[in-house]
Amino acid sequence: NKISRFGLSNVEHLVENAMEGYLHPGKLCQVLARQVQAAGVTILNGINVNGYSKVGENIHVHTNKPYELCATNLLICTNAFAGSLLPGIDIVQARGQVLLTNEIPGLKLKGTFHADEGFYYFRNHGNRVLLGGARNEDFDGETSGTMETTQNIQDALENFLKKYIIPSTPFKISDRWSGIMAMGREKLPIVKQIEPNVFCAVRMSGMGVALTPVTGEMVARLML
């Protein structure tokens, strides 16, 4: 059966979703950057946006640099970090921690998997295992906007790895990191006009890769 074929242990059932897929987010961002730059868009990195104000028909974007940016329309799509620009919006920051193993010869795991109500997510990355989650082990501690890893969550991930994914298989962890998701009272994204010429597309509930192609089209229709 597929449980043994994938090398899983202590697992009784698998439910397959034929529509499930995965991609390389780094390569996705590189391709998108090339496409928008080819269309004449300038990408500015390393700038903190502290707020914005409206002056006549223009919107002034305040940054940590000795200059401001000026626009006629403003789209806020900083997801979990939108709260500082949109006070009162229903966004709760939720940290997601991840680890990546070294290469494991003969790794059986192929595909993407979700476990424990979706609080664990894992997939193969070549002959490595990428595993993230365990936020349900410490909801209070992981309600955070600080991008760092913590011992208790990383230990929970490693224990999950040993018990369910690659039991009796020696491994080393090559990388650990975290990112910040945007949660709220509802799962639906917030795509709306905030005020004239100011829009937002935020709160992806940890599903941004899947949702943003649709939310991008939705907010574009609002703005055009």
Side-chain angles (χ1 to χ4, degrees):
N1 62 35
K2 288 190 176 182
I3 293 176
S4 58
R5 187 194 309 172
F6 292 135
L8 302 174
S9 180
N10 297 299
V11 175
E12 295 183 0
H13 304 284
L14 284 179
V15 178
E16 183 176 6
N17 179 0
M19 303 302 292
E20 178 81 11
Y22 63 94
L23 49 73
H24 191 303
K27 292 181 179 179
L28 172 65
C29 289
Q30 289 176 343
V31 171
L32 290 175
R34 287 198 296 267
Q35 288 185 343
V36 297
Q37 287 172 327
V41 175
T42 299
I43 299 175
L44 302 176
N45 294 311
I47 298 176
N48 292 335
V49 174
N50 300 321
Y52 69 90
S53 59
K54 301 189 75 172
V55 180
E57 295 184 355
N58 294 321
I59 300 170
H60 289 235
V61 179
H62 312 303
T63 73
N64 63 332
K65 303 297 182 180
Y67 53 79
E68 293 184 343
L69 304 175
C70 186
T72 53
N73 287 289
L74 174 65
L75 171 60
I76 298 170
C77 45
T78 49
N79 203 33
F81 300 97
S84 61
L85 301 175
L86 301 172
I89 197 165
D90 177 29
I91 288 179
V92 177
Q93 293 181 326
R95 181 168 55 210
Q97 298 191 37
V98 187
L99 58 75
L100 179 67
T101 71
N102 61 340
E103 294 237 355
I104 299 173
L107 179 68
K108 295 181 179 180
L109 189 75
K110 303 295 179 187
T112 61
F113 301 82
H114 305 264
D116 195 3
E117 300 181 6
F119 284 109
Y120 288 82
Y121 167 85
F122 55 100
R123 55 179 274 195
N124 70 297
H125 178 58
N127 285 326
R128 301 180 177 195
V129 178
L130 185 152
L131 168 63
R135 189 168 61 89
N136 55 331
E137 300 290 337
D138 184 9
F139 278 124
D140 290 340
E142 295 307 290
T143 303
S144 171
T146 303
M147 284 191 277
E148 63 182 10
T149 60
T150 59
Q151 192 66 50
N152 61 329
I153 299 299
Q154 290 294 313
D155 286 347
L157 290 173
E158 287 198 38
N159 290 335
F160 188 93
L161 190 64
K162 296 173 186 175
K163 183 176 181 180
Y164 298 106
I165 305 176
I166 46 173
S168 305
T169 302
F171 65 88
K172 293 182 180 179
I173 304 301
S174 65
D175 299 276
R176 304 177 191 268
W177 69 92
S178 68
I180 311 302
M181 301 174 286
M183 304 297 182
R185 289 189 297 270
E186 299 180 11
K187 286 286 188 181
L188 288 175
I190 301 174
V191 181
K192 67 179 183 179
Q193 183 172 6
I194 301 297
E195 57 180 297
N197 304 105
V198 179
F199 306 82
C200 76
V202 296
R203 198 180 68 187
M204 298 297 131
S205 299
M207 298 296 293
V209 171
L211 293 175
T212 47
V214 177
T215 56
E217 289 185 353
M218 291 171 62
V219 77
R221 287 196 294 268
L222 282 177
M223 297 179 70
L224 295 176

